[in-house]
Amino acid sequence: MLGSFIYSNPTKLYFGEDALDFLGEELPKYGKNVQLIYGGGSVKKNGIYDKVVEILKANGKNIFEDGGVMPNPTVEKLYEGVRIARENHVDLLLAVGGGSCCDYAKAVSVSVNCDDDPWEKYYIRFEEPTCEIVPVGCVLTMAGTGSEMNGGAVITNHKTKQKIGHVFGENVMPKFSVLNPKFTFTLPKRQLAAGIYDIFNHICEQYFSGSDDNTSDYISEALMKSVIHSSRIAMNDPENYEARSNIMWTATWALNTLIAKGKTTDWMVHMLGQSAGAYTDATHGMTLSAVSLPYYRYIMPYGLQKFVRFAKEVWDINAVGKTDEQVAEEGLAAMESWMKELGLAMKLSEIGATEDMLEGIADGTIIMDGGYKVLDRSEVLNILKAAL
Ligand code: NZQ
Ligand code: ZN
């Protein structure tokens, strides 16, 4: 452990089959007006919406509907959410859904009392909120992003073809999140797989960096092993509560600020995937799976020892009589076959990207400098070509 840091995470979590019962304990802490945020309708079909509304009414809340949050929420939808919150003097933004609803609620929360254009302020100039923030609560229905316990809020601008995340601080993180693994039972398998890979890649992004002996890396290995194990059970037996609960809990810990502490982090798979997402509007986890292997195979020589460790510790590769390069490649090959087992998109063409988009995707890829190799634009383009 080398780095110095402050660790604090203010989100209170309620986890388990009865987690929603605790919503009634949280609601009295906030004013009467609640903006009820949800997506394209899954929560109405599976009954979660009705349960939440019942609890809101029992607590005397005025409900202001804000449905239709799309996967990869757009800047236009953000403006609409801000308008709803302003018109109704909202006291609490309650997101009932996956990462998209939760992210969107956070983006609205920092924009309601702010005169500036939120896209320009937070996603182009990366400024911090300077106005009063409306509190956010979350009832999670999909495991993956970690949005339930972090400050991330990713917004897509289709006009400018940009998908950008702002990681806000503690004051924007959800005040509370309700995590009932049973709420994820109705997820289509494709979304389940995408969420599982999102979890795994969040861990990779924080693992493949640095060379010191870091406690975070040991935690990361345990989280990766847990998600691989539970993914195989949940994909075959979608109503296996134990597997679903492990996946949900792993998702939270994969990106709730803990494992990034004391070390540098990479995030280039997310930068490549997000830019591809701006062009294709594809499911987040699938954009990551499509670019991962070309990226990791390219940077492997620059962080060889970590890839060897990954192969041995996470994938149980036997290193006897093999070179480091062979061991590292066998680790990535094991990851590749697990990804195929999950049915993930393995190529950008599978998520709707075409060759003529690649220059634009490269331009939109934000280059981070925490990983084993700081890429230049031509390297980004070559990775995208290999991923097509
Ligand atoms: O919209 P509805 O009808 O609710 O359907 C959703 C949506 O179509 C469906 N779904 C969710 N829960 C369900 C369900 N369907 C049936 N049963 C359920 N229980 O699943 C679809 C995807 O939902 P979405 O919320 O978009 O998925 P996810 O949780 O993966 O969130 C993706 C967004 O989060 C951002 C992504 O970029 C993307 O915009 N991210 C946020 C991060 C953060 N806050 O730190 C980090 C991530 O890396 C990611 O970038
Ligand atoms: Zn992600």
Side-chain angles (χ1 to χ4, degrees), residues 4-116:
S4 310
F5 56 85
I6 295 171
Y7 185 71
S8 166
N9 190 313
T11 305
K12 184 165 184 175
L13 296 180
Y14 296 98
F15 191 96
E17 288 184 62
D18 59 351
L20 191 62
D21 296 348
F22 294 92
L23 181 59
E25 285 189 14
E26 284 295 325
L27 291 176
K29 298 178 188 169
Y30 307 95
K32 275 205 163 297
N33 296 343
V34 177
Q35 187 158 331
L36 180 55
I37 292 166
Y38 55 96
S42 71
V43 293
K44 290 201 168 167
K45 280 192 213 120
N46 60 24
I48 298 170
Y49 173 90
D50 287 341
K51 288 180 191 159
V52 170
V53 166
E54 199 184 313
I55 298 169
L56 287 169
K57 285 187 176 158
N59 282 271
K61 301 294 180 186
N62 302 320
I63 301 170
F64 298 96
E65 292 265 334
D66 184 6
V69 178
M70 60 293 285
N72 313 317
T74 62
V75 67
E76 290 79 14
K77 180 64 189 162
L78 169 58
Y79 297 144
E80 186 186 314
V82 170
R83 182 183 53 73
I84 295 169
R86 282 183 186 158
E87 282 175 9
N88 300 293
H89 307 287
V90 158
D91 302 302
L92 174 69
L93 296 156
L94 184 63
V96 185
S100 292
C101 288
C102 219
D103 275 24
Y104 165 83
K106 286 179 245 175
V108 172
S109 80
V110 293
S111 309
V112 179
N113 298 309
C114 167
D115 293 332
D116 288 1

Side-chain angles (χ1 to χ4, degrees), residues 74-318:
T74 62
V75 67
E76 290 79 14
K77 180 64 189 162
L78 169 58
Y79 297 144
E80 186 186 314
V82 170
R83 182 183 53 73
I84 295 169
R86 282 183 186 158
E87 282 175 9
N88 300 293
H89 307 287
V90 158
D91 302 302
L92 174 69
L93 296 156
L94 184 63
V96 185
S100 292
C101 288
C102 219
D103 275 24
Y104 165 83
K106 286 179 245 175
V108 172
S109 80
V110 293
S111 309
V112 179
N113 298 309
C114 167
D115 293 332
D116 288 1
D117 177 86
W119 173 258
E120 292 294 327
K121 181 177 171 71
Y122 299 121
Y123 296 93
I124 299 298
R125 300 199 300 271
F126 283 97
E127 288 173 16
E128 293 312 310
T130 43
C131 50
E132 201 188 327
I133 298 160
V134 181
V136 170
C138 173
V139 176
L140 194 66
T141 66
M142 160 149 180
T145 63
S147 189
E148 65 276 13
M149 203 182 186
N150 70 35
V154 183
I155 295 294
T156 298
N157 187 330
H158 287 297
K159 277 197 201 110
T160 61
K161 291 206 175 345
Q162 285 170 298
K163 182 178 182 186
I164 298 179
H166 189 129
V167 182
F168 292 101
E170 272 181 54
N171 47 359
V172 184
M173 291 183 190
K175 301 289 175 229
F176 64 90
S177 285
V178 169
L179 276 62
N180 180 345
K182 280 196 169 172
F183 287 178
T184 69
F185 281 3
T186 54
L187 268 175
K189 265 198 174 171
R190 197 174 173 281
Q191 291 295 343
L192 171 61
I196 286 166
Y197 190 69
D198 194 21
I199 301 168
F200 190 82
N201 191 256
H202 290 159
I203 308 168
C204 290
E205 300 277 30
Q206 297 164 94
Y207 181 78
F208 288 117
S209 58
S211 58
D212 45 301
D213 180 17
N214 197 304
T215 299
S216 287
D217 293 334
Y218 294 93
I219 300 172
S220 290
E221 284 160 2
L223 291 172
M224 287 194 264
K225 285 199 256 193
S226 173
V227 79
I228 295 162
H229 174 76
S230 297
S231 72
R232 291 186 161 131
I233 300 169
M235 289 299 284
N236 290 315
D237 179 9
E239 301 211 350
N240 186 304
Y241 182 82
E242 189 173 42
R244 290 291 191 141
S245 60
N246 283 330
I247 291 169
M248 197 171 218
W249 193 224
T250 313
T252 302
W253 285 92
L255 196 52
N256 72 351
T257 69
L258 176 80
I259 61 171
K261 292 300 177 195
K263 63 180 307 223
T264 52
T265 54
D266 182 347
W267 293 107
M268 275 315 296
V269 168
H270 270 68
M271 295 305 107
L272 290 156
Q274 260 173 224
S275 189
Y279 277 75
T280 59
D281 206 24
T283 301
H284 172 64
M286 298 294 180
T287 65
L288 306 177
S289 60
V291 298
S292 282
L293 282 153
Y295 175 70
Y296 288 128
R297 289 201 163 108
Y298 183 71
I299 62 153
M300 189 172 81
Y302 303 96
L304 186 60
Q305 287 316 312
K306 196 56 150 297
F307 282 90
V308 170
R309 178 174 165 174
F310 176 68
K312 288 197 223 165
E313 298 300 327
V314 180
W315 298 103
D316 287 328
I317 302 298
N318 180 352

